[in-house]
Amino acid sequence: MSADPAEPVYRNPVLDADWSDPDVIRVGDDFYLTASSFGRVPGLPLLHSRDLVNWTLVGHALQRLEPESEFAAPRHDCGVWAPSLRHHDGRFWIFWGDPDRGVFQVNAPEIRGPWTRPHLVKAGKGLIDPCPLWDDETGEAYLVHAWAKSRSGVKNRLTGHRMHPHGTELLDEGKVIVDGDRIPGWFTLEGPKLYRHDGWFWIFAPAGGVETGWQGAFRSRAFFGPYEEKVVLEQKDTDVNGSHQGGWVRTPSGEDWFLHFQQRGAYGRVVHLQPMRWGGGGGWPVIGDDGAPVAEHRRPDLPPQPPAAPATDDDFPGGRPGRQWQWTANPRDGWATHHSADGLRLTCVRTPDAHDLRALPNVLTQRLPGTPCTVEVDLRLDDGEPGARAGLAVLGDAYSWIGLQRGPDGTVRLVHRFAETVADQERDAAPARPAPGGRARLRVDIDAGARCRFSYDTGDTGDTANTADTGDGAGQGGFRPSGQVFAATPWRWVGALLGLVALAPTGQGHAGTATFTQFRIRIQEKRADR
């Protein structure tokens, strides 16, 4: 999924997975990016690049969501919305809006931390997408934010504040500095990013909705306005819908680039890199190919870098999941056991919500790749109580999972279940089958339409029905298809997720554990030229 540095061009998207609402900065020769994480933990992912094309995940700035009690259960459309990343006075700063609580910030001396605990800069409902600016010319500091109508009854406007230079508090009640209702044809104005350039205050902000909108630029000689506006990026005759919301960055040689997202259904919001220049038609920015997103372009004038991409595979050394994994809520002690070998050992957590994975906080997730792929993992269901189960899931408003479950007689069977968007509990997607030894290798083949085909290999040569031996040596019996094709669906604001889960119905005592090993994602469609 990474880009070959020998190629003179790159191809979009440069991050082909759900890195929603990206913001980007440069510090020296390094570029850093963060994105929305909503209700998943850890939050505020931190990505690093040297060429704006190849990116790696280096950590997270937020280890737990606060207040902790409010994120003890999944809240997929809450939490961290549209963060802004900045570097000022020798520190990294991230501001974000929690739509139910207000504007928060964390900061750190290095990108890998240690990061401070969240500090509430402005309390209130519906305050989203904040962005700070420290004006080096005057020493003043400012903050701009948007509004979520679902919480405040207000949207389509941007509010500006003077901010204390320490970034801890705002110095006024705020003023609407851009009112989208007063601009003909503009709606759902949000996601502002605030800059100073060439004597102007600039606000880059999207409008028009996630799937169909455009990127706007606003400028004024004074922070509080008045601002004039211009559309600087839109779909036009390309296939890149909703090409907007992101950040501007300048390379050491003076090149300008813009990173933004594109909403792609179950794949979430993938990230594109657009060339940018100043001076078009009166000093405005020109993004992409004269305002249209590019599918491919000459690479940035930066030193070639080895191919890289955020990690996906995991052997779980010491029982610890890699950085790519996030829980669906604040984790609790005892969900995962650290040990001296490889493999993720999850406790079969007892829950009254065993019938609906969407309600569980103890699902370990990572992003669904945006290209066709095959996902595989080995699973062993260890000694446990009847009803204990574990498996591999594709999660969204609808979900499907395949895995192992222990029956009342102590035997372990291969099960495959699903739940529709409107269903409040899951159903069997295929008949249960024997799983000798309580082991299986689980597989999901995902095509270009996020259509998922589940299969399994229990190594049972006696079960010859529906055998589809892949010849890859994964068990003597080969992989066997299970159930009907499942079309992955997004969650609200979030793309579909891959998940590992272990659970058990309510009851007394320890319900056992499940061990996952050799998690692999194989991209079916090679994109080494991206």
Side-chain angles (χ1 to χ4, degrees):
M1 295 177 65
S2 55
D4 184 349
E7 291 287 333
V9 300
Y10 70 90
R11 289 178 173 81
N12 278 314
V14 293
L15 283 166
D16 203 356
D18 186 22
W19 301 95
S20 178
D21 312 319
D23 194 23
V24 62
I25 60 170
R26 177 178 65 86
V27 180
D29 294 327
D30 298 286
F31 299 91
Y32 300 103
L33 181 147
T34 192
S36 295
S37 50
F38 299 100
R40 303 197 302 279
V41 180
L44 289 173
L46 304 168
L47 286 80
H48 170 256
S49 178
R50 285 287 184 91
D51 62 3
L52 290 172
V53 175
N54 292 283
W55 292 87
T56 58
L57 179 64
V58 298
H60 292 81
L62 189 62
Q63 296 308 307
R64 299 184 73 82
L65 288 163
E66 298 184 5
E68 293 213 9
S69 60
E70 292 190 11
F71 292 95
R75 302 182 66 198
H76 305 296
D77 60 347
C78 301
V80 177
W81 283 26
S84 292
L85 174 62
R86 294 294 181 264
H87 189 261
H88 167 71
D89 197 24
R91 297 186 71 85
F92 291 88
W93 301 77
I94 301 179
F95 285 67
W96 76 93
D98 178 323
D100 299 304
R101 299 200 66 219
V103 173
F104 287 87
Q105 61 97 334
V106 292
N107 59 87
E110 304 290 342
I111 195 68
R112 291 171 175 82
W115 289 85
T116 61
R117 288 188 60 177
H119 174 79
L120 184 60
V121 178
K122 180 183 180 182
K125 287 187 174 294
L127 311 180
I128 59 169
D129 310 349
C131 183
L133 171 70
W134 286 270
D135 188 345
D136 293 333
E137 296 180 18
T138 65
E140 297 288 323
Y142 305 95
L143 183 132
V144 62
H145 69 81
W147 294 87
K149 187 175 182 179
S150 60
R151 271 71 164 188
S152 66
V154 174
K155 73 169 188 175
N156 204 34
R157 65 189 61 173
L158 307 179
T159 295
H161 294 266
R162 292 180 59 246
M163 183 177 72
H164 194 290
H166 290 166
T168 55
E169 60 182 318
L170 303 179
L171 302 180
D172 55 37
E173 294 300 314
K175 175 185 174 182
V176 175
I177 58 176
V178 179
D179 186 346
D181 290 344
R182 296 179 177 272
I183 307 174
W186 285 58
F187 60 96
T188 317
L189 176 64
E190 56 189 356
K193 296 293 181 283
L194 182 59
Y195 306 98
R196 202 80 155 92
H197 173 69
D198 197 26
W200 296 85
F201 287 91
W202 291 88
I203 299 174
F204 285 31
V210 169
E211 296 186 354
T212 58
W214 57 89
Q215 180 66 36
F218 300 82
R219 69 180 183 185
S220 175
R221 292 294 185 182
F223 171 71
F224 287 103
Y227 283 83
E228 52 185 324
E229 80 284 341
K230 185 176 182 179
V231 174
V232 293
L233 183 70
E234 56 186 327
Q235 180 173 353
K236 295 189 176 180
D237 60 354
T238 75
D239 60 359
V240 182
N241 60 294
S243 49
H244 67 265
Q245 188 155 338
W248 160 49
V249 68
R250 175 167 285 177
T251 69
S253 66
E255 286 186 348
D256 295 302
W257 297 86
F258 183 73
L259 284 132
H260 66 91
F261 76 69
Q262 174 199 9
Q263 172 66 41
R264 290 190 56 219
Y267 297 115
R269 301 174 183 181
V270 303
V271 179
H272 292 239
L273 176 66
Q274 301 295 336
M276 175 177 148
R277 61 182 174 83
W278 291 92
W284 291 88
V286 179
I287 301 177
D289 180 9
D290 196 24
V294 299
E296 63 179 49
H297 194 270
R298 172 189 57 81
R299 286 173 168 272
D301 181 20
L302 293 164
Q305 301 297 317
T312 56
D313 295 355
D314 206 346
D315 289 319
F316 309 104
R320 293 172 172 83
R323 295 188 183 101
Q324 65 268 36
W325 297 97
Q326 296 170 291
W327 298 99
T328 47
N330 280 329
R332 302 171 200 167
D333 292 340
W335 284 358
T337 302
H338 296 167
H339 51 86
S340 59
D342 288 352
L344 177 69
R345 190 176 299 160
L346 294 183
T347 299
C348 294
V349 177
R350 291 193 181 276
T351 173
D353 295 314
H355 58 281
D356 190 348
L357 300 191
R358 294 165 296 198
L360 300 184
N362 59 306
V363 184
L364 194 60
T365 68
Q366 67 167 282
R367 293 161 179 83
L368 187 73
T371 55
C373 65
T374 296
V375 182
E376 290 185 9
V377 68
D378 281 331
L379 171 62
R380 183 183 75 240
L381 190 61
D382 302 317
D383 290 341
E385 295 293 311
R389 68 203 71 165
L392 168 66
V394 178
L395 287 161
D397 283 333
Y399 73 84
S400 186
W401 72 279
I402 190 168
L404 301 174
Q405 179 169 330
R406 189 173 298 279
D409 60 355
T411 61
V412 177
R413 298 179 71 82
L414 190 292
V415 297
H416 181 191
R417 300 196 173 108
F418 77 102
E420 299 169 271
T421 300
V422 296
D424 58 4
Q425 61 182 5
E426 62 190 27
R427 298 160 49 200
D428 286 332
R433 297 180 179 274
R439 296 171 178 266
R441 185 150 183 87
L442 311 173
R443 173 187 283 183
V444 186
D445 291 294
I446 306 172
D447 68 16
R451 290 164 56 86
C452 305
R453 293 172 173 83
F454 288 79
S455 57
Y456 65 95
D457 179 5
T458 60
D460 179 13
T461 57
D463 180 8
T464 58
N466 297 322
T467 298
D469 196 336
T470 63
D472 61 4
Q476 295 179 357
F479 279 93
R480 301 174 176 90
S482 180
Q484 301 299 315
V485 173
F486 170 75
T489 63
W491 274 338
R492 189 172 185 183
W493 314 132
V494 180
L497 299 168
L498 300 170
L500 303 178
V501 64
L503 67 148
T506 54
Q508 299 298 316
H510 193 269
T513 60
T515 301
F516 295 88
T517 54
Q518 298 186 65
F519 183 92
R520 299 289 184 268
I521 296 180
R522 299 197 306 271
I523 300 302
Q524 298 172 2
E525 179 181 308
K526 296 296 183 182
R527 292 288 303 278
D529 59 348
R530 197 182 65 194

